[in-house]
Amino acid sequence: MLDLFEMLGTPEPSTEIMADGAVLLRGAALPFEADLLSALTEITEQAPFRHMVTPGGFVMSVAMTNCGTAGWVTDRTGYRYDRNDPRSGRPWPVMPDCFFALAVTTAARAGYPDFRPDACLINRYEPGARLSLHQDRNERDFANPIVSVSLGLPATFQFGGLERTDPVRRYALRHGDVAVWGGPSRLFYHGVPELRDGVHGTVGRMRLNLTFRGAL
Ligand code: SIN
Ligand code: FE2
């Protein structure tokens, strides 16, 4: 398997174990930052960020869009993956090669060499935005891990257990960090408390998060 880190001669990212099956690869996205950000701009020109509504009628503070064969959406009827952007009725933008390659490489580093994402949810947090504790469980096959790439302002990542009430550990996620969870921790509750205000040198007054899934 092609290994981007070896190819570029960049050092292997340092690894922190969050739980059985869950690791944090510090700075793993940094070598690809420029490609990721320019691909992101193209995606959001075709499929702009929007604040979706939960089935309970709440407008999410995190703005979202997607790329890939399927995109995660929520509306009054529920959560689901949709091949089309409900706003345009057209397919989501194609997943850029640099996205796919980073997800495949970091998943392999984390012990999931077979992961091939077909969906990438893109989250935009502005100061004050938050994502309450939840499980990622709308995907068809939980054998696939979740690969989550952080860009821009730092955030706190809460990582709990299989029950909503399980104790959570907190990790600072910084620009370029990649979190991967799967196997025994695939359905662990996780969330992001209110983003603190600040300005990131490259990304500006926001945090962007790319979450890769095997959805279909
Ligand atoms: C998510 O759970 O979809 C996003 C997590 C994050 O923003 O780090
Ligand atoms: Fe999630």
Side-chain angles (χ1 to χ4, degrees):
M1 157 58 44
L2 160 104
D3 188 302
L4 287 176
F5 302 103
E6 244 162 59
M7 225 173 71
L8 291 172
T10 51
E12 285 193 20
S14 78
T15 305
E16 278 172 47
I17 311 280
M18 296 196 290
D20 199 7
V23 300
L24 202 44
L25 303 166
R26 293 289 183 193
L30 285 178
F32 320 105
E33 159 186 22
D35 286 348
L36 296 173
L37 290 171
S38 74
L40 254 168
T41 304
E42 280 182 37
I43 290 167
T44 56
E45 279 165 9
Q46 298 170 60
F49 283 112
R50 78 291 305 265
H51 293 273
M52 299 189 203
V53 178
T54 65
F58 293 100
V59 177
M60 298 186 77
S61 60
V62 177
M64 298 176 170
T65 186
N66 291 277
C67 65
T69 310
W72 185 86
V73 293
T74 172
D75 58 20
R76 290 308 298 252
T77 69
Y79 306 125
R80 66 181 181 281
Y81 281 94
D82 202 316
R83 288 176 180 270
N84 294 320
D85 177 351
R87 265 180 59 144
S88 65
R90 293 197 310 266
W92 294 103
V94 171
M95 190 184 297
D97 289 344
C98 62
F99 278 37
F100 186 81
L102 177 62
V104 167
T105 309
T106 49
R109 294 259 155 177
Y112 305 98
D114 300 326
F115 182 52
R116 301 290 179 270
D118 58 12
C120 175
L121 170 66
I122 305 166
N123 295 312
R124 184 189 69 195
Y125 297 73
E126 289 179 316
R130 58 189 289 273
L131 197 59
S132 48
L133 276 184
H134 65 277
Q135 292 170 297
D136 292 355
R137 55 179 312 146
N138 302 123
E139 300 72 33
R140 195 181 52 79
D141 184 357
F142 296 143
N144 289 308
I146 301 286
V147 174
S148 167
V149 178
S150 292
L151 296 167
L153 287 176
T156 300
F157 186 56
Q158 302 166 310
F159 197 64
L162 281 174
E163 306 291 335
R164 187 183 289 279
T165 51
D166 284 343
V168 297
R169 289 212 176 88
R170 290 178 178 75
Y171 299 88
L173 292 184
R174 299 180 202 91
H175 183 69
D177 289 347
V178 179
V180 181
W181 61 97
S185 50
R186 173 62 180 76
L187 290 173
F188 276 17
Y189 276 87
H190 57 279
V192 177
E194 281 192 12
L195 192 80
R196 285 183 50 184
D197 202 356
V199 178
H200 183 271
T202 320
V203 177
R205 199 175 171 214
M206 67 182 86
R207 170 175 183 261
L208 298 167
N209 168 259
L210 317 176
T211 310
F212 294 92
R213 293 101 188 266
L216 301 180

